[in-house]
Amino acid sequence: MATPPVKVYGPPLSTAVSRVLVCLLEKDVPFQLVPVNMAKMEHKKPDYVKMQPFGQVPAFQDDDITLFESRAICRYLAEKYPNKGTAGLFGTNPLVKASIDQWLEAESQSFNPPSSVLTFQLFFAPLMKLKQDEALIKQNEAKLEKVLDVYENRLGSSRYLAGDEFTLADLSHLPNTQFLVEKTDKAELFTSRKNVGRWWSEISTRPAWKKVVEMQNA
Amino acid sequence: MVVKVYGPIQAACPQRVLACLFEFGVDFELITVDLDSNEHKQPDFLQKQPFGQVPVVEDGEFRLFESRAIIRYYATKYGDKNRNLYGTTLEEKALVDQWLEVEAHHFNDMVYTIVLQKLVIPKMGGRTDFDLVHNCEKKLEQVFDIYEQRLSKNNYLAGNWFTLADLSHLPGIRYLMNECELGHLVRDRKKVNLWWDDISNRPAWKKVMQMFNGQG
């Protein structure tokens, strides 16, 4: 069997890497996952930095293109394979696409910052034997609550964030939420909100995401 | 039907949208939102933008928020007027998206914190955290070093044409060069300096600046 042209560099436990992996799996695009040993600072070495100048994961290659930034990679995949795997990930017309971009940006600008801090403080820091910052946790929990209140309202009148179909906007939330719900004591932030809870339960049980979680737990 | 853009001309995110609309010659009406009196947190505004942020755009029945989603929408809608702004091939578009993400995460986070600490907090009677400002400045030095490398190989961030990725930096760099007094970040770097002079002299950005200076 030919080696797939698509290569993803980075560990599946990284939230940004897992964002790309779930997109590839939703789209049914074969890929090779290339390990990057972050404990040995492989992501800061010249060979890697050539692909990703900020020294972060993931990096991505397909045919002749090298890309970084997980949300840019997801947009690329959804545009390249509109009819493969899960259709409608990036909409079928410009207005729907704009709505998806809007909620993808909301994830990136409003949801990601506090949820990333909490994920790091509550999951990664103990794992790496680093001291937790209680004030930072409290501050970011308050910020996340406000964002989830907006989502609760939105998901009361819309099955998914951008409309009635699962899209990149929902997908983009999977990595951080998985950690917060399954690996920290902050699950309640999501499960105590009726609509957010319903939405989380639907998107997290999709087969593609379940495969990514298996890869993370391997 | 004229596009309505809600937000003050002084804020970076509305400026991002206006620069894009000017690039495509799209007629719009700017409806000011008074951030000082918390107008953006009032129920009327929250109906339009549930996160209580500016800008939000109304185009007939269609409403959209998040400035980087708005500029992608209009660049796609009016792609025929300027094909290069959002790339002409799938690969070019991916590079524009990549550098837009870089601006949104690596660049914007730092500029936002600096503006908050140096300008907004003192205005509200609080004290600037100079350590935090200094840390952000150091991080921005690293970001601009990467830009310097990139711009040594290409005229613009995503390739050899001006795109949304460059446009998206205009408001933030303007703040750095002016109120934040961190112009050296740009001036100390040959390619970044040339790039800034180029993109900030585009007619569309000059029109935004005219509005900003109360002349438009």
Side-chain angles (χ1 to χ4, degrees):
Chain A
M1 183 176 140
T3 320
V6 171
K7 287 194 181 127
V8 182
Y9 295 78
L13 209 59
S14 144
T15 51
V17 173
S18 68
R19 183 175 288 112
V20 173
L21 296 181
V22 71
C23 187
L24 285 161
L25 288 164
E26 285 282 353
K27 282 276 122 194
D28 238 335
V29 172
F31 63 91
Q32 238 191 301
L33 182 61
V34 181
V36 174
N37 191 331
M38 297 179 78
K40 293 202 171 139
M41 303 301 274
E42 198 182 324
H43 53 308
K44 303 291 182 188
K45 301 224 166 94
D47 274 347
Y48 186 84
V49 167
K50 252 193 279 192
M51 288 189 295
Q52 216 293 15
F54 294 88
Q56 292 175 333
V57 291
F60 171 93
Q61 283 173 331
D62 182 15
D63 289 329
D64 295 326
I65 195 172
T66 300
L67 284 177
F68 53 90
E69 289 298 332
S70 61
R71 294 169 192 83
I73 297 164
C74 288
R75 283 181 169 102
Y76 166 79
L77 289 168
E79 294 249 33
K80 186 171 181 181
Y81 303 104
N83 301 313
K84 215 171 183 276
T86 307
L89 267 193
F90 208 6
T92 47
N93 74 58
L95 294 180
V96 175
K97 195 177 228 187
S99 178
I100 297 168
D101 264 330
Q102 172 184 275
W103 288 101
L104 192 43
E105 286 296 319
E107 180 274 320
S108 155
Q109 298 294 312
S110 297
F111 177 85
N112 186 59
S115 62
S116 290
V117 170
L118 288 174
T119 301
F120 180 79
Q121 288 289 326
L122 298 168
F123 177 70
F124 285 101
L127 214 65
M128 289 155 63
K129 301 208 169 35
L130 295 170
K131 197 164 162 247
Q132 291 171 311
D133 184 332
E134 288 303 330
L136 206 57
I137 291 170
K138 224 172 152 194
Q139 198 185 56
N140 282 277
E141 191 175 334
K143 280 187 186 163
L144 186 58
E145 296 243 43
K146 288 199 174 135
V147 174
L148 292 177
D149 285 342
V150 174
Y151 285 15
E152 181 66 7
N153 196 33
R154 170 62 181 171
L155 294 165
S157 56
S158 184
R159 187 173 171 196
Y160 297 99
L161 285 171
D164 290 328
E165 282 190 55
F166 176 79
T167 68
L168 286 188
D170 310 286
L171 178 151
S172 206
H173 289 79
L174 288 162
N176 286 3
T177 311
Q178 178 73 22
F179 281 122
L180 291 176
V181 169
E182 298 297 334
K183 305 280 189 183
T184 75
D185 61 355
K186 301 297 173 188
E188 217 210 350
L189 292 173
F190 298 86
T191 55
S192 68
R193 290 171 167 81
K194 178 164 157 254
N195 302 320
V196 171
R198 186 267 310 153
W199 167 75
W200 172 247
S201 163
E202 282 201 54
I203 68 173
S204 60
T205 51
R206 291 178 69 90
W209 183 245
K210 282 171 139 180
K211 273 200 203 124
V212 174
V213 174
E214 268 172 46
M215 292 171 77
Q216 290 183 332
N217 292 330
Chain B
M1 183 134 245
V2 160
V3 173
K4 290 187 183 152
V5 183
Y6 292 83
I9 188 61
Q10 293 80 10
C13 298
Q15 288 176 1
R16 181 176 291 115
V17 170
L18 298 187
C20 178
L21 294 177
F22 275 128
E23 285 285 347
F24 289 105
V26 176
D27 280 332
F28 66 85
E29 186 194 343
L30 182 68
I31 298 161
T32 293
V33 175
D34 185 7
L35 303 185
D36 287 340
S37 69
N38 257 355
E39 192 184 336
H40 54 313
K41 305 292 180 190
Q42 303 309 319
D44 274 348
F45 188 81
L46 291 173
Q47 290 265 28
K48 299 180 196 290
Q49 215 289 14
F51 297 93
Q53 295 169 333
V54 290
V56 56
V57 151
E58 280 172 355
D59 191 341
E61 296 287 311
F62 181 57
R63 185 185 283 154
L64 198 58
F65 55 84
E66 285 297 339
S67 61
R68 294 171 192 83
I70 296 167
I71 64 178
R72 282 178 167 106
Y73 171 69
Y74 283 103
T76 306
K77 185 173 182 180
Y78 295 107
D80 285 342
K81 287 190 182 187
N82 184 336
R83 296 201 154 278
N84 290 318
L85 238 84
Y86 202 4
T88 53
T89 65
L90 177 69
E91 288 75 19
E92 281 175 11
K93 193 176 198 200
L95 288 174
V96 178
D97 274 327
Q98 174 185 280
W99 289 98
L100 253 173
E101 291 294 322
V102 167
E103 182 275 318
H105 296 284
H106 297 274
F107 175 81
N108 186 62
D109 287 355
M110 299 302 119
V111 175
Y112 181 85
T113 304
I114 292 172
V115 170
L116 187 71
Q117 289 295 326
K118 280 186 110 167
L119 305 175
V120 179
I121 286 177
K123 199 171 161 191
M124 288 168 26
R127 273 180 47 201
T128 302
D129 180 345
F130 285 104
D131 281 342
L132 185 55
V133 170
H134 184 65
N135 276 334
C136 288
E137 194 184 331
K138 269 168 64 181
K139 287 189 180 152
L140 272 179
E141 296 260 18
Q142 292 175 342
V143 171
F144 276 116
D145 282 343
I146 291 169
Y147 285 14
E148 183 69 8
Q149 257 184 26
R150 175 69 182 171
L151 295 164
S152 304
K153 301 195 191 104
N154 300 280
N155 294 331
Y156 299 94
L157 287 173
N160 285 320
W161 294 276
F162 176 80
T163 69
L164 294 183
D166 309 290
L167 181 150
S168 204
H169 285 81
L170 287 161
I173 298 184
R174 193 213 65 79
Y175 263 113
L176 288 179
M177 308 286 288
N178 293 281
E179 296 91 336
C180 298
E181 299 174 307
L182 290 171
H184 73 90
L185 289 169
V186 168
R187 296 295 179 214
D188 285 353
R189 292 167 173 83
K190 182 160 164 239
K191 297 292 182 182
V192 171
N193 196 29
L194 280 169
W195 169 74
W196 168 248
D197 279 342
D198 181 308
I199 67 174
S200 59
N201 275 297
R202 288 182 71 88
W205 182 244
K206 285 179 146 172
K207 285 187 190 144
V208 177
M209 288 297 94
Q210 278 172 351
M211 290 182 73
F212 180 75
N213 293 318
Q215 292 147 25

